[in-house]
Amino acid sequence: MSVSRLVPCILLLCAIAPVRVIASGVPAADAVRPWLDPGLSPGERARLAVRAMSEGEELSLVLGDFGSVMAQKGYRPPAGARMGSAGYVPGIARLGIPPQWISDAGLGVATQRASRDAYRERTALPSGLATAATWNVGLAQRGAAMIGAEARASGFDVLLGPGADLVREPRGGRDFEYAGEDPLLAGMMAGAQIRGIQSQHVIAVLKHFALNDQETGRTVLSADIARGQARMSDLLAFELAIEQGHPGAVMCGYNRVNGQYDCENRWLLDEVLKGDWGYRGYVMSDWGAVHSTVRSALAGLDQESAYTFDEKPYFGAPLAEAVRTGRVPRERVDEMAERIVRTLFAVGVVDHPIDPEARIEFGADRRVAEADEAQGIVLLKNAGGILPLARTVKRLVVIGGHADRGVMSGGGSSTVFPVGGDAVAGVGPAGWPGPVVYLPSSPLGAMMGEAPQARIRYVSGRDVAQAVRAAKWADRVVVFATQWAAESEDVSLTLPGGQDALIEAVARANPHTVVVVESGGPVLMPWVSQVAGLLEAWYPGSGGGEAIARVLFGTVDPSGHLPVSFPRRLAQLPHPRLAGAGLAANRPFEVRYSEGAAVGYKWYQRERLTPLFAFGYGLSYTRFGYGDLRARVRNGQLVVTFTVSNLGQRSGRAVAQVYVGPKSWRALGWEAPRRLGGWSKVSLAPGASRTVRLTVDPRLLAVFDSRAQRWERSPGPYEVWLGDSSDPLGPPTVVSLPAWQHSARWNE
Ligand code: BGC
């Protein structure tokens, strides 16, 4: 804003006006601070507030501090920051604008490991992939509301999640934080999580925009992809999440896209996000993702986070200088401040101040996390109906995975230190991105609770001969296999530490072997044909041990379905060799996403490959029947109806999935014959049926034409499949759809 706008305010009133605070702690509106009137729209409030700001105040809003000590740089956070946190942006007290107290992340309130003095113990949700595997947007929202409430009660009003990068690279070290390989599923899930977090008046930060799809070389690589293909894949996930959730902020990632850093990528930030999608929140950078002042400011970055991670501060004083010399228009700085403040009003941060006295109901919160995991566990194999385990089982042996103590969680900035402390301390790297934190929720203990009559033994699995002896003694064996994944490094898909050999030896000794996998994402399973039962439990979260036990014994019917394909072997992947592997650190390279929008199951279909387990797959203890598939056109939109029936003897939840595609895509070898068009998670008592009706978003039937800058659906016959995975159950039904076009500017 200009100095002339500020003068009357300073001289006449602002400097002398005491801030009046009403009983609730909310600063009250008055003639001097009309922006504090909740009756005005967030946009109007933001405009009024920014008009009253000095340039220095505006600039203070666009530059963030780190919230923890950085001994190697001699950095200490400012006094107002919450110690051990990810970030802090001071407020403007005289205007009633609160500070932004920023915490990681999408799975719960994290503590930066640099600051053990400020160590917080909080509730951890299961990993993002576990939540995506529930295919239950209600659960995703509830879990996010829980962590949002814990964030508030911990003094934070900004939570750095959720993430919506697609699982393009199944070895990605952060895949566990995200919501799978399909844009519709990821977008709907992330959207629900944003709604949940923001229901607590805490700003959700959708990250990492965009194509931050692997950790190897994450700060130097360029993800190269045709723009139209990006619009139909990674960007579509973000587009849907934004429409569904309206996040207060979007975080631009570390990587480059088509040669330009995310945080100075005008196409991503200005054209697509703020232009085409009409996004009204602010763009904040990832920690250390800023490389310029003018380029970033002009491309659409609104806030430089934790500048200590960048080579030097690029906003703040350098931005003031760029404005002074005319390289950045002053209005652009006004806009940055306005976007930030608008979000503070829109999410309710100003009107609902943080209450540092708030209590956290840890017991109830743990149950929320447990309920999420209970629906996220995927039953992948159940030969001879070995599961659910009978409570009358006499001798049961549990092997490995520290299942006697707890469940694994992923590493890096999202690490939540659990209530009760790390159940298996001292595992994994002592430094970043470690440690490997085990949440104190013992599957073994919970299994003992489910089957109190059984004799249950635990062996660690470190000694294979001992495990084999125990397996021979037992009637049933449950092996826990774990794979730790963490931010900043990618994983191999092979289970570490000789676990494949352990599983093979145990399965040879006892055919009644069930494997429970706790992993960040897909793993290779060379032993799959030798084991009778198989559950994918992801990172199970607080209360995850109980959820696993309840599924194993059938107290809960498994209803998770895969949000990612599990490859049979590495050679099936679009990139059998991880891009950048073996290159010297910090040497820039390109990852060419020549598979375009054919991510995950679409790749397998296009290449006619059969994965080990298909996207969308998941078994239940009951059986579902699908029928009466009908497709028709209503107001130009595709409407699909079908029935789902529970044909078994137990209650259960089906995940009915509809896949769509024009006939022509097959002939063209386009992306894939089928895309997920919609789904419904249906809870059914034995013998019950339900009719489901879904409207398919027209973008899922269209192609993005980047030259014409629009979505285009060509007229003609379209096929609609129904099933319980991306491998449909029967032949498609055909419907003729009219042409449809939509300008890229979806929100206009
Ligand atoms: C991560 C972000 C995180 C930030 C703050 C970065 O290293 O990429 O996801 O929110 O740190 O801890």
Side-chain angles (χ1 to χ4, degrees):
M1 68 159 284
S2 67
V3 174
S4 59
R5 264 193 274 150
L6 181 74
V7 169
C9 175
I10 289 181
L11 293 185
L12 300 177
L13 291 159
C14 301
I16 49 165
V19 174
R20 201 160 54 82
V21 174
I22 55 176
S24 64
V26 187
D30 51 34
V32 199
R33 292 183 301 274
W35 53 86
L36 296 178
D37 176 1
L40 301 177
S41 73
E44 183 60 16
R45 296 174 78 179
R47 266 189 301 283
L48 291 167
V50 170
R51 221 176 279 158
M53 282 179 200
S54 68
E55 186 180 288
E57 285 168 336
E58 286 187 24
L59 288 168
S60 73
L61 286 178
V62 304
L63 183 70
D65 289 285
F66 187 40
S68 302
V69 175
M70 266 176 122
Q72 73 278 27
K73 291 197 173 181
Y75 170 85
R76 283 198 70 78
R82 310 273 186 228
M83 283 305 284
S85 72
Y88 174 69
V89 178
I92 307 172
R94 76 172 186 94
L95 302 180
I97 305 294
Q100 292 155 59
W101 287 291
I102 304 170
S103 174
D104 280 302
L107 309 178
V109 179
T111 308
Q112 292 282 331
R113 57 182 320 285
S115 278
R116 283 312 173 79
D117 49 334
Y119 172 80
R120 291 176 184 83
E121 293 188 348
R122 295 293 181 267
T123 309
L125 284 172
S127 58
L129 275 186
T131 299
T134 67
W135 296 61
N136 185 331
V137 288
L139 271 183
Q141 183 165 335
R142 201 167 134 221
M146 181 275 282
I147 63 169
E150 288 203 2
R152 258 187 91 73
S154 310
F156 295 106
D157 49 23
V158 182
L159 198 54
L160 299 170
D165 298 274
L166 289 189
V167 176
R168 223 175 229 286
E169 172 47 76
R171 289 160 294 209
R174 301 187 85 173
D175 288 350
F176 74 90
E177 294 184 52
Y178 302 145
E181 67 189 25
D182 179 78
L184 177 64
L185 180 64
M188 298 301 286
M189 285 296 174
Q193 287 164 332
I194 295 163
R195 289 197 300 274
I197 292 169
Q198 295 193 163
S199 70
Q200 305 305 307
H201 309 299
V202 170
I203 296 167
V205 181
L206 181 63
K207 67 189 188 184
H208 306 89
F209 191 62
L211 287 132
N212 187 167
D213 295 345
Q214 68 170 55
E215 295 302 285
T216 304
R218 66 175 174 164
T219 57
V220 290
L221 71 79
S222 177
D224 291 353
I225 184 167
R227 287 182 173 189
Q229 304 276 313
R231 294 294 295 256
M232 292 187 291
S233 54
D234 285 65
L235 298 193
L236 183 55
F238 279 89
E239 182 174 5
L240 294 169
I242 289 169
E243 284 171 16
Q244 292 293 318
H246 306 287
V250 167
M251 183 192 287
C252 47
Y254 284 127
N255 55 291
R256 293 175 292 142
V257 169
N258 297 333
Q260 302 290 318
Y261 282 113
D262 274 2
C263 294
E264 52 188 51
N265 194 314
R266 196 190 273 259
W267 171 62
L268 280 178
L269 304 185
D270 215 37
E271 283 181 38
V272 176
L273 175 67
K274 294 180 177 177
D276 290 354
W277 302 344
Y279 179 63
R280 297 170 76 187
Y282 62 99
V283 176
M284 71 191 317
S285 63
D286 201 344
W287 275 225
V290 186
H291 302 273
S292 61
T293 300
V294 176
R295 271 201 312 275
S296 303
L298 297 184
L301 178 68
D302 299 307
Q303 188 180 67
E304 177 183 9
S305 309
Y307 63 85
T308 33
F309 284 76
D310 294 321
E311 211 173 294
K312 56 180 189 206
Y314 288 103
F315 281 14
L319 184 58
E321 178 60 14
V323 170
R324 203 186 57 75
T325 54
R327 286 172 303 146
V328 172
R330 177 173 295 284
E331 298 72 42
R332 176 68 189 106
V333 179
D334 291 344
E335 188 209 328
M336 293 173 184
E338 209 170 295
R339 281 177 173 273
I340 295 165
V341 174
R342 184 192 171 279
T343 286
L344 294 173
F345 289 121
V347 178
V349 172
V350 177
D351 301 334
H352 303 268
I354 294 291
D355 172 10
E357 304 292 303
R359 270 174 55 92
I360 299 179
E361 300 296 339
F362 286 114
D365 289 358
R366 184 181 168 109
R367 286 192 290 280
V368 171
E370 183 190 327
D372 189 351
E373 171 68 1
Q375 287 199 34
I377 293 170
V378 186
L379 175 62
L380 292 172
K381 184 173 180 188
N382 196 11
I386 188 167
L387 293 172
L389 295 171
R391 278 171 223 284
T392 50
V393 61
K394 290 206 173 61
R395 291 189 298 211
L396 181 64
V397 65
V398 175
I399 301 175
H402 295 291
D404 57 331
R405 314 274 279 281
V407 288
M408 184 177 255
S409 62
S413 59
S414 68
T415 305
V416 176
F417 293 94
V419 180
D422 189 347
V424 192
V427 181
W432 169 266
V436 179
V437 172
Y438 280 82
L439 312 176
S441 171
S442 156
L444 176 73
M447 287 163 78
M448 289 172 163
E450 291 286 331
Q453 322 294 351
R455 285 175 66 197
I456 306 186
R457 279 179 61 193
Y458 174 77
V459 295
S460 73
R462 275 190 293 276
D463 176 345
V464 177
Q466 181 202 34
V468 164
R469 276 197 304 279
K472 284 188 175 150
W473 163 84
D475 305 320
R476 295 284 183 272
V477 185
V478 181
V479 185
F480 283 79
T482 56
Q483 176 225 42
W484 188 62
E487 178 181 344
S488 76
E489 50 194 43
D490 294 316
V491 290
S492 136
L493 296 191
T494 297
L495 287 171
Q499 294 180 89
D500 286 340
L502 170 72
I503 295 168
E504 268 159 9
V506 166
R508 225 176 293 124
N510 190 330
H512 306 296
T513 293
V514 174
V515 176
V516 178
V517 180
E518 293 171 19
S519 65
V523 292
L524 298 176
M525 299 174 167
W527 34 260
V528 71
S529 62
Q530 290 149 259
V531 302
L534 175 58
L535 292 177
E536 174 59 59
W538 319 103
Y539 296 141
S542 300
E546 285 83 353
I548 292 170
R550 295 175 78 206
V551 169
L552 282 171
F553 282 93
T555 310
V556 171
D557 185 65
S559 63
H561 284 244
L562 294 179
V564 283
S565 314
F566 276 42
R568 210 167 269 283
R569 59 190 82 85
L570 288 180
Q572 290 188 322
L573 301 178
H575 304 269
R577 191 179 147 77
L578 181 69
L583 283 186
N586 297 330
R587 173 141 163 238
F589 62 93
E590 285 85 43
V591 191
R592 285 188 201 292
Y593 289 134
S594 47
E595 74 274 23
V599 179
Y601 67 95
K602 295 170 187 161
W603 166 261
Y604 288 88
Q605 288 176 10
R606 195 182 77 183
E607 301 299 311
R608 298 180 196 285
L609 296 165
T610 309
L612 182 61
F613 295 111
F615 171 85
Y617 176 75
L619 300 170
S620 154
Y621 295 149
T622 185
R623 275 183 316 115
F624 298 105
Y626 297 85
D628 303 333
L629 173 62
R630 287 204 183 90
R632 59 184 196 286
V633 185
R634 270 276 168 87
N635 304 326
Q637 309 269 47
L638 173 59
V639 177
V640 181
T641 53
F642 55 88
T643 49
V644 200
S645 317
N646 184 345
L647 307 176
Q649 307 300 316
R650 308 168 52 102
S651 296
R653 293 184 179 89
V655 176
Q657 300 157 47
V658 166
Y659 291 84
V660 293
K663 272 189 148 171
S664 59
W665 286 354
R666 289 215 225 177
L668 290 172
W670 182 254
E671 185 191 301
R674 299 186 281 278
R675 295 175 183 170
L676 179 68
W679 79 89
S680 178
K681 189 158 194 175
V682 189
S683 186
L684 291 170
S689 286
R690 176 105 43 94
T691 301
V692 177
R693 183 174 186 272
L694 299 171
T695 302
V696 179
D697 188 310
R699 283 167 289 190
L700 301 170
L701 297 149
V703 167
F704 190 86
D705 181 339
S706 50
R707 232 175 295 145
Q709 285 291 297
R710 63 177 178 229
W711 293 96
E712 284 198 11
R713 185 181 70 196
S714 34
Y718 283 71
E719 294 176 305
V720 178
W721 291 263
L722 175 62
D724 58 359
S725 85
S726 53
D727 235 351
L729 291 172
T733 189
V734 179
V735 60
S736 180
L737 293 178
W740 172 87
Q741 286 180 346
H742 207 289
S743 129
R745 303 215 156 210
W746 187 255
N747 288 307
E748 270 183 354

